Amino acid sequence: MPLQHALPGVGEGLIDHMRACVSFSSRIATINDIVHNPIAKIRAGLDYFIWRKGWLATASMTVQAITRSTPDSERADLKIQINGISMDLQKMDGGDRPPVRKQSGFSFLFFPIYPHSRGRVHSTSIDPLASPKIETGYLADPRDSAVTLSGLKLARSIASKGPLAKIIIEETDPGASCTNDSELLDYIRSTSKTVYHPVGTCRMGTDAMAVVDSHLRVHGLQGLRIADASVMPTLVATNTNAPSIMVGERAAAWVMEDARK
């Protein structure tokens, strides 16, 4: 199929939340035990179906906080979460999720909520089922590296105090021996994953790289709107679900408005 319309901004400006983690083995049971123990699975199922309690009755990420990565940060720029499961990050094999550790454990996840790094995504074929080429651009901007590194250090600090310190056996990833910033950043780069919040590849605006206008209409084409997270010029601080619903509802209202004219 020949090219119908060219816009240089399509696929550019990819922004996403990239989360890193630090994990610990635990003296109390976590989701790890449910995954690997048939009896624990039965017990967890009974807890949920009879009493509506236990791990199956809640999200695994039970505590979350948005905070400043440094005292000098102008605004909160870091999100940190406690996750009741821990993976064996030493067994990362490219794209697949690493296995859940057999020993009881939990993790801290953390990421910059306003990342500065930008990537891109482009098609590689006219075949719609062919995988696109994705360049995430994670940590391309040193400011994102600094915030992520602060998140790891904050996670360690929280884990070393109070009730958490009493249930922790040891740090499993990256491990207590990993201490200098260079090593920690190498660990972050090799083990981090997407939070599945990609936006910005068909962003709204009026400049040469914008793809849609303020009513989500594709520049230079008639009768075509884009109504998803790709139109967002910047990334919201946390989840993109609610803003994406809002974009869709707004687009639907504009389509109905046009139909009545």
Side-chain angles (χ1 to χ4, degrees):
M1 179 183 295
L3 179 66
Q4 300 296 307
H5 186 57
L7 286 171
V10 174
E12 295 294 316
L14 172 65
I15 322 171
D16 191 14
H17 287 137
M18 182 214 75
R19 64 105 179 123
C21 98
V22 56
S23 302
F24 303 89
S25 55
S26 166
R27 291 187 172 87
I28 63 172
T30 63
I31 296 175
N32 295 31
D33 301 273
I34 298 174
V35 171
H36 293 293
N37 188 324
I39 295 175
K41 288 180 181 179
I42 294 171
R43 185 181 297 116
L46 291 174
D47 280 345
Y48 176 73
F49 286 110
I50 297 175
W51 295 287
R52 289 294 191 268
K53 67 177 186 178
W55 277 114
L56 300 185
T58 183
S60 63
M61 282 178 255
T62 55
V63 180
Q64 306 191 47
I66 293 178
T67 185
R68 287 175 167 82
S69 59
T70 70
D72 297 329
S73 300
E74 293 182 0
R75 59 177 175 173
D77 57 356
L78 170 69
K79 186 170 187 177
I80 188 165
Q81 308 164 310
I82 297 181
N83 195 11
I85 191 170
S86 65
M87 307 289 188
D88 189 347
L89 298 182
Q90 308 306 318
K91 296 182 179 179
M92 299 283 285
D93 58 356
D96 293 335
R97 183 174 296 181
V100 175
R101 285 188 177 274
K102 292 185 178 180
Q103 186 179 15
S104 304
F106 65 95
S107 308
F108 281 87
L109 308 181
F110 42 89
F111 56 88
I113 59 177
Y114 299 114
H116 298 277
S117 301
R118 299 291 183 269
R120 59 192 54 83
V121 54
H122 292 290
S123 60
T124 57
S125 167
I126 61 172
D127 178 3
L129 300 180
S131 298
K133 181 181 180 181
I134 303 174
E135 298 175 22
T136 63
Y138 292 147
L139 304 185
D141 191 299
R143 290 172 290 183
D144 295 342
S145 297
V147 174
T148 307
L149 193 57
S150 293
L152 191 151
K153 293 177 180 178
L154 176 59
R156 281 178 161 176
S157 175
I158 294 171
S160 68
K161 299 178 177 68
L164 279 179
K166 296 177 182 178
I167 66 168
I168 289 173
I169 299 173
E170 64 177 346
E171 182 181 308
T172 52
D173 293 291
S177 62
C178 186
T179 55
N180 71 63
D181 288 358
S182 178
E183 289 178 334
L184 291 172
L185 282 172
D186 284 344
Y187 160 78
I188 288 168
R189 291 189 185 98
S190 64
T191 60
S192 295
K193 293 288 187 180
T194 177
V195 187
Y196 302 100
H197 294 165
V199 308
T201 51
C202 289
R203 67 175 176 82
M204 182 188 303
T206 57
D207 61 280
M209 295 298 288
V211 177
V212 299
D213 66 12
S214 60
H215 280 58
L216 307 181
R217 295 171 296 207
V218 175
H219 291 302
L221 288 178
Q222 294 293 319
L224 180 62
R225 280 184 166 96
I226 297 175
D228 58 31
S230 68
V231 304
M232 299 180 190
T234 57
L235 186 55
V236 293
T238 54
N239 299 56
T240 53
N241 179 49
S244 298
I245 293 171
M246 180 201 70
V247 168
E249 291 183 344
R250 200 73 178 100
W254 282 323
V255 169
M256 294 298 291
E257 215 173 89
D258 289 349
R260 288 193 291 267
K261 291 179 181 176

